[in-house]
Amino acid sequence: MSLLLAIRGWDQRYWQEKFQALLHERRVLLPDEVSDPAYVEFIAAWKHAPGSLKAYRNTRAVFSLGAGVDHLLSDRDLPDAPVVRIVDSDLTRRMTEWVVWQALDWLRQGARYRAQQQAGQWIDDREQPSAGDISVGVMGLGELGMASALALHQIGFNVAGWSRTPKKPEGAVSSMPCFSGSDGLSTFLARTDILVCLMPLTPQTEGILNQSLLSGLKQGGRLGGPVLLNAGRGGLQDESAILKALDRGVLFGASLDVFRQEPLPAGSPFYNHPKVRVTPHNSAMSHPDAIAGQIVQQIHRLDSGGTLLNVVDRQAGY
Ligand code: NDP
Ligand code: OXD
């Protein structure tokens, strides 16, 4: 029996070696090494070609090599097996770093001071707000959103959250205002200076970062206007609405790690936009050792009669 690696865009051989070094009792195969699909017991995938997994009818679980599973669930021919995602403390920490980095860069006017330094200028003529003057709204209070909310709260931002189902946070963020569903959205947006989007891409969230949502954000504020940070998925974005909102001053700025088309094509208006910071979908890279280790552990759990962890709800899409 074997584990099939179905990967596009990453180095397949590298991942194969990582998995094979940990999974001694099974062969780890790439698609063109499979002679009989019936012997494929597990699949670990990242952005496989839709339809290409149809033949693997004995699959016991399909593992995503990342936290998101939209790349799997958008494939109508995915084998009818549990879909498992990654929940990893290293990945969560990296995402928290990105969110905090971007929030602080907007708060502390990073672009302005970098430009001043390059121009050899010493200008200290502007008032500097502090984190306590800024309300951050985190959309998506899952593994990543909750960790980011906690870190932002610890820095002193006024943090609130929004999710699909109601939340009662515990510990340091127990007093964080939490909103949910379409009923809670407008109140959540109206208090938000920095909107952090850490939601999955599902049929319900596709294009949610649109003109109507952006125009519901708090206008004015100590940053000069609202700022969007999106590291969820590009499919959440209505990109022309974001550009219009930036150009019309409805949005003051945006930090975007994800795009509808990746790699973001040369010539995209996002690259040179003075109010946009672009990172190449690497806010929270999956570390191969941690990811392969976690998936192999899950396989061993099944082997010893246990159940899989982090199985997604195929109906909800995440
Ligand atoms: P989780 O599944 O743990 O959390 C998802 C959150 O989104 C939950 O709070 C959920 O609400 C909320 N949500 C889902 N659908 C809706 C909706 N229709 N309306 C409101 N809230 C909704 O996911 P993670 O935190 O682990 O990851 C989030 C996403 O981040 C991933 O799906 C992936 O797309 C992206 N990601 C990006 C990376 C990058 O490098 N850019 C790296 C890793 C992940 P509820 O709590 O009520 O269920
Ligand atoms: C993920 C990603 O989903 O890196 O893990 O985008």
Side-chain angles (χ1 to χ4, degrees):
M1 299 305 268
S2 55
L3 164 74
L4 170 74
L5 282 183
I7 298 177
R8 281 194 303 171
W10 293 348
D11 183 344
Q12 305 181 73
R13 293 272 170 213
Y14 175 74
W15 280 86
Q16 187 178 30
E17 280 165 26
K18 292 279 169 202
F19 271 97
Q20 196 64 80
L22 298 169
L23 195 65
H24 309 291
E25 71 289 358
R26 288 179 173 89
R27 288 190 65 205
V28 179
L29 301 174
L30 300 178
D32 56 6
E33 296 167 343
V34 175
S35 46
D36 184 350
Y39 283 94
V40 169
E41 204 182 359
F42 297 104
I43 298 174
W46 184 250
K47 298 188 180 170
H48 70 281
S52 63
L53 304 179
K54 196 174 177 177
Y56 302 107
R57 57 192 181 281
N58 293 335
T59 307
R60 291 172 66 198
V62 182
F63 296 98
S64 170
L65 290 174
V69 290
D70 47 296
H71 63 107
L72 293 172
L73 299 187
S74 58
D75 181 355
R76 288 172 181 216
D77 294 320
L78 197 70
D80 185 17
V83 173
V84 180
R85 73 196 198 92
I86 290 294
V87 175
D88 175 57
S89 58
D90 175 61
L91 189 150
T92 303
R93 210 165 21 247
R94 289 169 191 245
M95 181 58 84
T96 305
E97 288 168 4
W98 185 88
V99 170
V100 168
W101 168 39
Q102 296 301 327
L104 286 178
D105 196 56
W106 286 104
L107 171 69
R108 301 305 300 255
Q109 306 169 55
R112 174 178 147 93
Y113 294 121
R114 285 189 289 275
Q116 279 189 197
Q117 181 183 348
Q118 269 172 8
Q121 291 174 327
W122 184 282
I123 308 170
D124 183 16
D125 62 350
R126 213 150 106 179
E127 194 201 352
Q128 185 72 63
S130 81
D133 298 321
I134 306 301
S135 293
V136 180
V138 181
M139 289 183 95
L141 286 176
E143 289 296 324
L144 304 180
M146 205 49 111
S148 292
L150 174 61
L152 292 162
H153 166 82
Q154 282 165 338
I155 290 169
F157 287 103
N158 294 309
V159 186
W162 183 74
S163 51
R164 187 170 65 91
T165 56
K167 288 272 168 305
K168 259 190 185 281
E170 288 173 1
V173 283
S174 59
S175 59
M176 173 171 81
C178 284
F179 304 86
S180 60
S182 47
D183 292 350
L185 186 57
S186 54
T187 316
F188 165 78
L189 295 172
R191 72 175 295 287
T192 296
D193 296 303
I194 299 181
L195 182 67
V196 178
C197 182
L198 287 171
M199 286 204 297
L201 178 60
T202 70
Q204 286 68 44
T205 62
E206 205 274 334
I208 191 169
L209 300 173
N210 57 22
Q211 192 244 332
S212 145
L213 181 141
L214 299 173
S215 56
L217 289 165
K218 179 175 156 187
Q219 289 301 308
R222 298 294 298 279
L223 298 178
V227 169
L228 168 67
L229 314 185
N230 182 25
R233 280 289 182 266
L236 301 167
Q237 296 171 169
D238 176 339
E239 296 185 345
S240 59
I242 291 175
L243 287 165
K244 274 193 198 129
L246 288 163
D247 292 339
R248 293 179 182 163
V250 173
L251 264 186
F252 181 75
S255 294
L256 307 175
D257 183 58
V258 286
F259 295 89
R260 282 195 171 253
Q261 187 181 344
E262 295 179 3
L264 186 63
S268 160
F270 285 112
Y271 279 122
N272 291 322
H273 200 294
K275 294 181 176 176
V276 177
R277 317 263 179 276
V278 171
T279 51
H281 196 147
N282 66 358
S283 53
M285 288 172 57
S286 308
H287 194 290
D289 290 323
I291 304 306
Q294 184 173 127
I295 291 173
V296 169
Q297 265 178 23
Q298 292 256 47
I299 292 173
H300 290 160
R301 276 174 70 86
L302 275 189
D303 286 345
S304 53
T307 52
L308 292 165
L309 306 173
N310 308 320
V311 175
V312 306
D313 175 348
R314 278 176 93 142
Q315 201 59 35
Y318 67 100

